[in-house]
Structures are given as C-alpha cells and as structure tokens.
Amino acid sequence: MTGKVATFRIPAQITLGCGAAETAGAEAKRLGGTHAFVVSDPILQKLGATEKIVASLSAQGIKATVYVEVEYEPSVGSVAPCAAAAKKSGADLVVGLGGGTSLDTAKAVAMLMRNEGSLEDYLGIGLVKRRGVPSILIPSTAGTGAEITPNALFYVPAARDKKAVVSPLTIPDVAIVDPLLTLTVPPTVTAATGMDALSHAVEAYTSQNASPMTDLYALEAIRLIGTHLRTAVANGSDLAARDGMAKASMYAGIAIGNAGTNIVHALAYPLQGQHRVTHGVANSLLLPYGMEFNALSNLTKFAAVAEALGEPIAGLSPRAAASKSAEACRLLSLDVGIPQTLREVGIKAEHLADLVEGAMKVTRLLANNPRQVRVEDVKAILEKAL
Ligand SMILES: [Fe+2]
C-alpha cells in the first residue's frame, strides 16, 4: 500500500571501507568497554585476522578474551558454553568476527549477558527483555548481513529445525564492514554467501513489508551483486569486486533487517534443519524458483530486479520483463557454481512431504511473501527444484 507506515532500524554506527577493522579498538573504547569477549572461528584465528582485532583492542588498553570454539551453522546448544565463558571472563563488551556463525553466536552471547535464562527462552519474535552488553560485529564474508539485522539463527536438533531470535534489542551498537577481511574467502563460500545476499535483497525488495527506505538499499544491493559476484568468485583477490560485494551484503542486511525475507528463506529452513544443507547453499539453490513463483505478484518490481541484474528490458512487455529476473538469477547462479537441483544436495522425492510441512510452519516469513503461498504451491516449487 502506497504511503503505509514503516519503521527503519539499523545499528547506531556503521563503519565501512578497506582497513575499517582496525577501528575496532577505538570503537570498543568509545562504547565504554574495558574487556572484550571476542567470538571468532579457528580459520580466522589461523589467518591472523582475530589477532589483528585483539591488537586493535589492546592498543586502546582493552583486554580481550578470545573464543573460537563456535559450531558452524550453530545449534542452540553451542551457545551455552560460549555464554558461560563470556560471563566467567568478566567481559563488558562483545566483539563478533566471522561469518554468520560467529556473528549470530556473538549476538546471542551479548544478549544472554544481560538477560536471564538460556537461548531457548528467546527463540521467537520480541522475547528479549533488555539490550545486551555493547557489541561490535565485523563480518568476514559477504552474505549474511548479520552485522546489521535483529535476527540470530540457530539449529534446534530436537525439532530438526532452524529457529531465530528476532528482536530490535539484538541489533549491534557498531557494524564494521571491511572488504579486506573477505579476500581469503574461498570461491564456493563466496558464491553461496553472495547468492544468499541476493536472496536477501530480492526478498526484501518484494516483501509485503518493503518500504521506500528498504527499496533503496535492496535495489542497490541487487545491482552490486549483478556487477561484482562473478568476479569475486572467479578472482577472489579482485579488491573492487570484494568491495562491491561487502557493500551489497551490508545493504541487503539493512533491507532484510527492516523488510524481512519471504518464500525462499521459508523453504530453505527445513532444508537446513532436516538435511543440514548450509544456509547459503539452501537459499541460493531455491532463489530462482522462488522468483519464478513470485514474479506475477509485482511485475514492475520484478522487472526492476531484472534491470538491476543487467538484463535489457526496454521494449519488453511487463510480464516478459519480470520473467527476466529469475532467468538472470539462474544464469548468475550457474556461473558461480551453485547447485541447481535439490538432488544435488542429497534430497530425494521421499523427503519432499516433510520439507513441505516444515516450510509451511515458517509463517513468520511466508506472511511477508508478495504472493499468497498455499501448500500446493510449496509442493510444486520443491518438485520443480528436485
Ligand atoms: Fe539468508
């Protein structure tokens, strides 16, 4: 609806640019921190990236306790020992450095340092009672946008499902986006995280909750991904491509942090929960299928997506122009080596019924979808993707 009321929230500060990570110490000091609990991962520690953040903190007289025992695609159970270590350390600030795994874990830990109980108590929408300790999030991949959003996603083994903490109180105080940190990301991860970012941008742009503010960021993110993802995958040391993707990921994070995702992320949830397909691959694989389904809902916006991805749409009918969006997405997906079918990630026909059931439970995201989603629709999309 034109002119509807929309709220827009982002971190109080975003610092962007090559070398931005070196400002971590100064930002921690500005936030009043004296002892930082740094959540990172073994790969970044080995590469020396974690040590650089610790050095930046140390230069400002801030003590650091480093925790790298994170679980990739973290389960709820993996957060408890991390939160316990944070509390025991006496830290008064949390720094997250890494991909979605470290950033979501850091968000949960900062929150649990000021909220009673365990992570399970806060899985859901708006359940967090107070802001956590001050936090600084620094992404090392270009994809999740977790440094911006109010969401943190965890695997719940008992439910074979992924569940999220969603609260504006978990938006970090500072997001630091430094393209230099992404130079060492391998091509497969660059591709999957980059296509996940495209999914964020496309879904937010076409969401029921899209606003003029999120549209600005979402469309620019789509344009940047169309321009830079292929190069970032083909030549990871191309700094212009890495810079473009770092910006795209952050802009897409701003867009989903306020407009949300929809059908692609909803259908990807059970793929992650039931079959442990990684978040990036699950969403990347399903994106063109979701776009094909949704294109009818808003021909103008899907035509704009096609144009932002570089498709010539002049002279085409609105329907033909909108169709070009999914075609462009599929070509990009093929070029960067994303699996194109569910079979390629181990899914068989007998798994579809559970996947359909799981997807239909993700009502939080399906409610944002621009086209009404019936159970037959989900079944048809997954059969097509098989
Ligand atoms: Fe995502």
Side-chain angles (χ1 to χ4, degrees), residues 16-203:
L16 167 73
C18 292
E22 290 167 23
T23 67
E27 292 307 328
K29 191 173 184 183
R30 185 180 63 77
L31 291 170
T34 60
H35 182 168
F37 187 75
V38 181
V39 181
S40 185
D41 65 51
I43 295 172
L44 289 169
Q45 192 177 43
K46 201 173 163 195
L47 290 168
T50 312
E51 190 47 45
K52 280 186 185 160
I53 298 299
V54 171
S56 166
L57 292 162
S58 176
Q60 298 291 333
I62 296 167
K63 196 177 159 189
T65 298
V66 175
Y67 185 95
V68 295
E69 290 84 41
V70 290
E71 185 180 300
Y72 285 96
E73 304 273 329
S75 65
V76 281
S78 73
V79 174
C82 187
K87 286 175 188 166
K88 194 176 166 205
S89 73
D92 50 17
L93 175 132
V94 169
V95 176
L97 170 71
T101 287
S102 295
L103 301 193
D104 282 358
T105 303
K107 272 181 185 174
V109 166
M111 182 274 286
L112 288 170
M113 288 172 82
R114 291 247 175 102
N115 289 269
E116 299 291 319
S118 66
L119 180 60
E120 285 87 337
D121 300 327
Y122 301 102
L123 293 171
I125 302 170
L127 301 178
V128 177
K129 300 200 170 45
R130 56 189 70 84
R131 271 193 79 73
V133 297
S135 59
I136 300 173
L137 297 189
I138 310 167
S140 65
T141 60
T144 70
E147 72 280 10
I148 302 289
T149 68
N151 315 326
L153 194 61
F154 300 95
Y155 173 55
V156 182
R160 292 180 73 217
D161 205 357
K162 283 254 182 165
K163 293 192 176 173
V165 176
V166 183
S167 167
L169 298 173
T170 64
I171 295 174
D173 295 276
V174 176
I176 298 178
V177 180
D178 186 342
L180 295 179
L181 289 170
T182 67
L183 286 171
T184 50
V185 178
T188 50
V189 178
T190 301
T193 53
M195 289 299 288
D196 183 36
L198 180 60
S199 174
H200 296 164
V202 171
E203 291 189 89

Side-chain angles (χ1 to χ4, degrees), residues 271-359:
L271 271 183
Q272 299 166 76
Q274 295 173 21
H275 299 278
R276 306 310 322 270
V277 179
T278 62
H279 180 90
V281 169
N283 285 292
S284 304
L285 193 160
L286 291 170
L287 178 58
Y289 299 96
M291 290 169 72
E292 274 167 355
F293 175 75
N294 277 345
L296 291 181
S297 67
N298 192 329
L299 297 178
T300 307
K301 275 199 157 177
F302 277 93
V305 170
E307 192 169 33
L309 286 173
E311 288 294 316
I313 60 165
L316 295 181
S317 71
R319 179 70 186 89
S323 299
K324 290 281 176 195
S325 63
E327 284 176 32
C329 175
R330 182 159 277 127
L331 188 57
L332 177 56
S333 175
L334 272 168
D335 281 349
V336 299
I338 296 294
Q340 298 295 303
T341 66
L342 292 172
R343 282 188 204 282
E344 289 174 62
V345 294
I347 307 300
K348 299 187 170 74
E350 59 262 36
H351 297 137
L352 292 190
D354 284 347
L355 288 172
V356 172
E357 194 186 335

